[in-house]
Amino acid sequence: MTPLEKARGLLAGAERVAVLTGAGISAESGIPTFRGPGGLWRNFRPEELATPEAFAKDPQLVWEWYMWRRGLIAEAQPNPGHRALVGLERRTLVFTLITQNVDGLHDRAGSKNIRKIHGDIWLSRCTRCAYQRVDKSTAVDGIPQCPECRAVLRPGVVWFGEQLPRLVWDDAERAVHDSQVLIVAGTSAQVYPAAGLISQARVPVIEINIDDTPFTSSVAVALRGLSGELLPKLLF
Ligand code: BJW
Ligand code: ZN
């Protein structure tokens, strides 16, 4: 049996499926991943920009990075990997798509039951009060200000050292716990607590990645290749 056949067998008849995705699933749409080639912007590593400390020190610089990324995402289209997961959701009784991605490409592909555990790049929220808005701007025109309290607005994402949104995270854990199979696609599985969902799974895990991850040796099936090619092969 090939790994692909084994993975198909694990999914056959599964009524409750959870999926965890990372930046790799959007790579074929032209969105740079965080780690590895193409992750750099003006010589900064993402780890140097995606922190509350970086924002406190230079909010303009951090906003410029997010606006650059918004521009790339606005130009990008969902790829066959995103679309294959839409098909899986349609035929699965209980389906949860847990994504670390902030790009919104799963929504644009047509996925419905999405839990964005690292937030959403299209939200801007206040650093002081509860104000937030959908914000489609892709260029920095000074540091945006809260219309309610005049404090600085920030991107609606989760940075290193910050808590994940409580209810979204609880749902993600519950979905993994209640699933019969977990598919993990396009994540380096190095960032916690997201990667901890893989070790929490008491069910077979199907990993899809171009490279090995820290979990490769412990998953039920590891499929090596592009998620935009493997997910359609696995799911159609
Ligand atoms: C392809 C492909 C193709 C490419 N097809 N595959 C426990 C242990 C150790 C550390 C910690 C721990 N608990 C908490 C921490 C600290 C920290 C952490 O995890 N650090 C590690 C780096 C060591 N975690 C946190 O701070 C988290 N908060 C937290 O835990 O709060 C509680 C707490 C607070 C204070 C102290 C202690 C605890 C928050 C983490 C937030 C992460 N935020 C970011 C930025 C989001 C906003 C933005 O987008 O700007 O999230 S960082 C970045 O990494 C982003 C991603 O969602 C995340 C994961 O990256 P991902 O998606 O895996 O991408 P890559 O680039 O790493 O990998 C791409 C993969 O795709 C690769 O494997 C490729 O091979 C593959 N690939 N093309 C298939 N076509
Ligand atoms: Zn405010």
Side-chain angles (χ1 to χ4, degrees):
M1 202 171 10
T2 65
L4 191 62
E5 285 164 353
K6 185 172 180 198
R8 283 209 187 100
L10 291 172
L11 279 167
E15 293 185 330
R16 300 184 305 280
V17 177
V19 179
L20 172 67
T21 64
I25 198 167
S26 294
E28 288 154 85
S29 297
I31 316 275
T33 59
F34 290 91
R35 293 158 195 88
L40 283 184
W41 173 80
R42 292 192 202 166
N43 290 328
F44 293 98
R45 286 180 294 117
E47 299 88 317
E48 296 174 273
L49 296 166
T51 70
E53 292 75 23
F55 188 74
K57 188 170 153 226
D58 195 343
Q60 173 97 16
L61 176 79
V62 173
W63 263 119
E64 280 175 15
W65 181 51
Y66 279 96
M67 289 300 187
W68 171 75
R69 289 174 55 200
R70 280 184 183 178
L72 287 181
I73 293 164
E75 295 294 314
Q77 298 301 327
N79 67 55
H82 297 106
R83 286 195 290 273
L85 293 174
V86 180
L88 179 64
E89 177 166 18
R90 289 195 182 134
R91 64 168 199 260
T92 306
L93 194 62
V94 183
F95 177 90
T96 310
L97 175 47
I98 304 157
T99 187
Q100 299 169 81
N101 299 347
V102 298
D103 57 31
L105 289 182
H106 285 303
D107 312 61
R108 281 169 57 197
S111 289
K112 298 289 177 225
N113 200 30
I114 308 173
R115 296 294 177 277
K116 295 179 189 166
I117 59 176
H118 289 165
D120 185 335
I121 200 168
W122 298 107
L123 286 178
S124 295
R125 66 177 162 85
C126 182
T127 50
R128 185 189 295 150
C129 74
Y131 176 84
Q132 67 170 30
R133 67 167 177 240
V134 175
D135 179 358
K136 294 288 181 194
S137 50
T138 56
V140 189
D141 180 18
I143 297 157
Q145 249 191 11
C146 176
E148 307 281 340
C149 79
R150 304 273 146 228
V152 169
L153 291 185
R154 56 164 285 176
V157 299
V158 181
W159 287 324
F160 283 115
E162 295 185 320
Q163 301 283 347
L164 277 58
R166 176 93 242 161
L167 299 178
V168 180
W169 175 252
D170 288 350
D171 270 1
E173 281 195 312
R174 203 174 306 121
V176 169
H177 189 261
D178 293 346
S179 68
Q180 293 164 303
V181 187
L182 173 67
I183 300 174
V184 178
T187 176
S188 61
Q190 290 178 26
V191 173
Y192 284 79
L197 291 171
I198 308 168
S199 38
Q200 277 181 44
R202 296 283 163 263
V203 292
V205 176
I206 301 169
E207 181 186 74
I208 296 177
N209 202 302
I210 51 173
D211 265 326
D212 282 359
T213 76
F215 291 92
T216 299
S217 58
S218 57
V219 298
V221 193
L223 302 176
R224 281 291 150 274
L226 301 170
S227 51
E229 292 177 3
L230 285 172
L231 281 167
K233 274 191 194 154
L234 174 65
L235 300 173
F236 289 134

